[in-house]
C-alpha cells in the first residue's frame, strides 16, 4: 500500500514540477502578484487620503485675527492666508464646490471676534460667536485643511476657558492598547478570508487538471487498469495535490504578509507585524494543512465527476463562492467562538480556528476539534472518491 501511494505521489509531483511554466504560475506567481497588487493598492489608498508634503493649502478668510493666523501657521497651514471681503463669500463657496483646486477653505469670523468672545458668557443663554468654515469633503486637501483648522480652534477655545486638562502630559502614555491588540484586530479580520481564498485558488488551479484532465486525455484509464488499488490512486493524488496547494498557499501568504503593512497603512499606525511567535505559526500550519486536505478532496470529487476540466471548473465555482462567503464571516466576528459546535462545521471551523490564532484567543479544544473534523471529512471524501474511481460509468464517461 505504502509503495503504491508513494509511486502515485511521485508521479503527480513529477508531472507538475517538470512543467516549469505550470510550477511558476501556480506556486511563485501568486505570491509575487499579490505582493505587487497589495503594495500598489496600499500606496494608492494612502495617496487618496493623505496630502503631499509640499502641498500649499489655498485659504481665504474674512475678519480673521492676526493671532489666529499665527496659530494656524504653527499648525501647518500656510502663512499667506488671503484676506477677503464679506462680499466674496459666494464666489469663494463656488470655487470650493467646483473642487478644481482653486480654493481649499474659506473662513468667516464675526467682526471684532476677540472682543466678542471675551464678552461672551456661556450662562447668559445668548448665542455664542460663530465661525463659518466652508470646505469640500470630496477633496483630500480641503478636508485636511478643515481638520487642521477645527483642531487648532478647539485647542484655542479650551485655552480660553480652561478649567481642567485632559491627557495634558505628552510624556505619559494614555493609549493602553498594546501592539498585540492592534495587530490582532487587523490580522484576525483579514487573513482568514485571504488564506482560504489562496488555498482554494491553488486547489482549483491544479485539481481539475489532475483528474478530469486525465479523464479528458484518456490517461487515467491506463492507470485504473493497473494492479494498484484505486483507493491508493485516490490517496496518492490527494496527497500530491495537497503538497502543491500548500506550497502555493505559502507563496500567497508570504506575499500578503510582506505587503500587508502597506495595505493596512501600518507604517502610519505603528502596528507591529512581528507580534506572532513560533507557537502561533505552528498552530496556523496545522490548521491550514487540515483544511487543505478537505478542500483538495472536495475539488477532486467534483473533478472526478466532471467530463472535462472546463466542466469541472464550472462545477467548482459555486463551491468557491461558498468558501469565500464563509471566509468573510471572520470579518464580522468578535473573536473566536467558544461553543465547540462551530468547530465541526466544514470550512467555518477553520475560520474560527484562524480567528483564535490571530486574535491570541485560541480555544484549545475547539482547535483540536477543527483539525480532527477536517481530517475526518477528508477521509470520508477519500472514501467517496475511491467509490467513484471504482465506477466504470463515472471514470470512463467522457
Amino acid at each position: 500500500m505504502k509503495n503504491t501511494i508513494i509511486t502515485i505521489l511521485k508521479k503527480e509531483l513529477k508531472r507538475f514540477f517538470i512543467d516549469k511554466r505550470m510550477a511558476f504560475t501556480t506556486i511563485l506567481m501568486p505570491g509575487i502578484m499579490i505582493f505587487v497588487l497589495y503594495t500598489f493598492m496600499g500606496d494608492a489608498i494612502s495617496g487618496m487620503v493623505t496630502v503631499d508634503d509640499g502641498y500649499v493649502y489655498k485659504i481665504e478668510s474674512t475678519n480673521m485675527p492676526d493671532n489666529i493666523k499665527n496659530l494656524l501657521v504653527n499648525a501647518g497651514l500656510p502663512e499667506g492666508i488671503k484676506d477677503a471681503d464679506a462680499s466674496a463669500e459666494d464666489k469663494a463657496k463656488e470655487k470650493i464646490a467646483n473642487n478644481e483646486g482653486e480654493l481649499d477653505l474659506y473662513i468667516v469670523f464675526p467682526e471684532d471676534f476677540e472682543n466678542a468672545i471675551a464678552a461672551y458668557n456661556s450662562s447668559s443663554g445668548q448665542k455664542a460667536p460663530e465661525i463659518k468654515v466652508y470646505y469640500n469633503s470630496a477633496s483630500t486637501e480641503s478636508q485636511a485643511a478643515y481638520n487642521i483648522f477645527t483642531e487648532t480652534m478647539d485647542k484655542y477655545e479650551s485655552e480660553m476657558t480652561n478649567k481642567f486638562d485632559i491627557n495634558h502630559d505628552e510624556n505619559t502614555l494614555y493609549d493602553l492598547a498594546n501592539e498585540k491588540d492592534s495587530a490582532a484586530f487587523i490580522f484576525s479580520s483579514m487573513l482568514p478570508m485571504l488564506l482560504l481564498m489562496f488555498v482554494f485558488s491553488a486547489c482549483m488551479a491544479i485539481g481539475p487538471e489532475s483528474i478530469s484532465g486525465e479523464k479528458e486525455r484518456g490517461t487515467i484509464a491506463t492507470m485504473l487498469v493497473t494492479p494498484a488499488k484505486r483507493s491508493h490512486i485516490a490517496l496518492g493524488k490527494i496527497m500530491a495535490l495537497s503538497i502543491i496547494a500548500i506550497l502555493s498557499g505559502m507563496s500567497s501568504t508570504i506575499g500578503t504578509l510582506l505587503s500587508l503593512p502597506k495595505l493596512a497603512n501600518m507604517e502610519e499606525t505603528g502596528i507591529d507585524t512581528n507580534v506572532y511567535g513560533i507557537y502561533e505559526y505552528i498552530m496556523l500550519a496545522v490548521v491550514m494543512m487540515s483544511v487543505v486536505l478537505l478542500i483538495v478532496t472536495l475539488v477532486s470529487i467534483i473533478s472526478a465527476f466532471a467530463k472535462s476540466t472546463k466542466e469541472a471548473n464550472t462545477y467548482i465555482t459555486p463551491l468557491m463562492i461558498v468558501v469565500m462567503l464563509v471566509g468573510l464571516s471572520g470579518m464580522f466576528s468578535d473573536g473566536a467562538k467558544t461553543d465547540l459546535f462551530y468547530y465541526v462545521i466544514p470550512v467555518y471551523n477553520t475560520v474560527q480556528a484562524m480567528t483564535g490564532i490571530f486574535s491570541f484567543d485560541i480555544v484549545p479544544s475547539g482547535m483540536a476539534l477543527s483539525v480532527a473534523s477536517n481530517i475526518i471529512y477528508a477521509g470520508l471524501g477519500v472514501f467517496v472518491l475511491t467509490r467513484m474511481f471504482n465506477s466504470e460509468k463515472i471514470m470512463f464517461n467522457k
Side-chain angles (χ1 to χ4, degrees), residues 180 183-184 187-188 191 195 253 257 273-289 353-363 367 371:
K180 284 190 173 183
F187 284 104
S188 63
L191 284 187
L195 292 178
T253 302
L257 293 176
T273 59
N274 298 316
V275 294
Y276 298 103
I278 187 66
Y279 175 70
E280 284 78 23
Y281 286 116
I282 291 174
M283 293 297 295
L284 179 63
V286 172
V287 171
M288 289 304 297
M289 284 189 287
M354 287 193 288
T355 300
I357 292 171
F358 291 125
S359 62
F360 302 98
D361 189 24
I362 296 174
V363 181
M367 189 76 61
V371 173

Side-chain angles (χ1 to χ4, degrees), residues 44 54 120 123 125 159 185 223 275 303 306 315 317 327 344 352 361-362:
Y120 175 71
S123 62
E159 291 174 350
F185 175 76
M223 187 182 301
V275 294
S303 299
Y315 294 156
T317 299
V344 296
Q352 290 303 308
D361 189 24
I362 296 174

